[in-house]
């Protein structure tokens, strides 16, 4: 079992729809969770982070964390073609895992007009 | 506020050579982590430095090494390059490298080994 798994994708949604990206992780002690967006040929860009169970909203983005189910998700409301990118889920195990993020393989999102 | 700066942006090296990549973190950030990104393996953690000390290391061979200077700038070195080392090398800067601090990536160095 991979440490961090994301829904396989690619995911295609129409403009204006809600895009739902999912991620599960294997280390139950994991402390913090991050979503990065990576455009083709570019470096990952941090868009959301969440540490506590529940929802966290930032503009059109909502991150949801359920530690009991070891599940974290990202919802993108009113999706725009500019949201088309690879979305990476990253997990920090906490403890002495200084500076280490374990990434999922990424989900490619395409928003079509 | 300047972001994370990596140099050079592109490199082409021959098998057997060595290479040094540089990363300047965001001002005030003391933790620098390095990652390798390939199409097959995705993003993989190499190591992390804080206050000139390596605190964490991933599962890479000893050919991969790094260091950090007193101004928090970091370098990574790969010796005896192999074709499989061709990848995008990314550094990430954070305040303290703790689990609850956000990490910001530089633009990366694209290394091609021929």
């Amino acid at each position: 079992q991979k440490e961090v798994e994301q829904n396989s994708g690619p995911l295609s949604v129409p403009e204006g729809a809600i895009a739902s990206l999912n991620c599960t992780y294997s280390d139950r002690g994991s402390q913090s969770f991050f979503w990065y967006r990576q455009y083709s040929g570019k470096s990952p860009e941090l868009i959301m982070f969440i540490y506590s169970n529940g929802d966290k909203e930032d503009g059109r983005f909502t991150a949801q964390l359920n530690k009991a189910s070891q599940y974290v998700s990202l919802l993108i409301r009113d999706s725009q073609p500019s949201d088309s990118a690879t979305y990476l889920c990253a997990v920090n195990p906490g403890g002495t895992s200084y500076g280490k993020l374990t990434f999922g393989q990424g989900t490619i999102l395409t928003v079509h007009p | 506020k300047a972001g994370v700066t990596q140099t050079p942006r592109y490199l082409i090296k021959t098998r057997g050579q060595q290479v040094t990549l540089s990363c300047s973190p965001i001002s005030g950030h003391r933790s620098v982590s390095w990652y390798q990104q390939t199409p097959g393996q995705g993003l993989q953690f190499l190591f992390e430095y804080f206050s000139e000390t390596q605190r964490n290391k991933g599962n890479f061979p000893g050919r991969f090494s790094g260091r950090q200077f007193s101004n928090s700038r970091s370098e990574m070195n790969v010796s005896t390059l192999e074709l499989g080392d061709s990848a995008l090398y990314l550094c990430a800067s954070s305040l303290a490298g703790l689990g609850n601090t956000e990490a910001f990536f530089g633009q990366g160095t694209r290394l091609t080994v021929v």
Side-chain angles (χ1 to χ4, degrees), chain A residues 82-101:
Chain A
S82 58
D83 295 326
S84 298
T86 298
Y87 288 80
L88 297 161
C89 171
V91 177
N92 182 287
T96 57
S97 295
Y98 301 115
K100 178 181 179 180
L101 293 173

Side-chain angles (χ1 to χ4, degrees), chain A residues 7-109:
Chain A
N7 47 336
S8 54
L11 179 64
S12 181
V13 301
E15 184 174 356
I18 295 175
S20 178
L21 303 160
N22 303 314
C23 175
T24 59
Y25 57 95
S26 61
D27 184 349
R28 185 169 289 278
S30 295
Q31 298 292 314
S32 48
F33 308 86
F34 305 84
W35 284 98
Y36 286 85
R37 175 176 62 197
Q38 187 172 26
Y39 292 112
S40 180
K42 302 294 185 182
S43 62
E45 173 193 9
L46 179 66
I47 53 173
M48 287 287 290
F49 59 91
I50 186 166
Y51 310 131
S52 304
N53 276 329
D55 295 359
K56 179 181 179 182
E57 188 174 319
D58 183 1
R60 296 186 296 111
F61 299 96
T62 299
Q64 299 173 316
L65 174 61
N66 184 325
K67 289 187 177 180
S69 300
Q70 295 174 239
Y71 175 91
V72 59
S73 67
L74 179 70
L75 300 177
I76 306 174
R77 291 182 301 281
D78 188 24
S79 296
Q80 301 297 309
S82 58
D83 295 326
S84 298
T86 298
Y87 288 80
L88 297 161
C89 171
V91 177
N92 182 287
T96 57
S97 295
Y98 301 115
K100 178 181 179 180
L101 293 173
T102 301
F103 284 84
Q105 75 277 20
T107 299
I108 298 172
L109 171 66

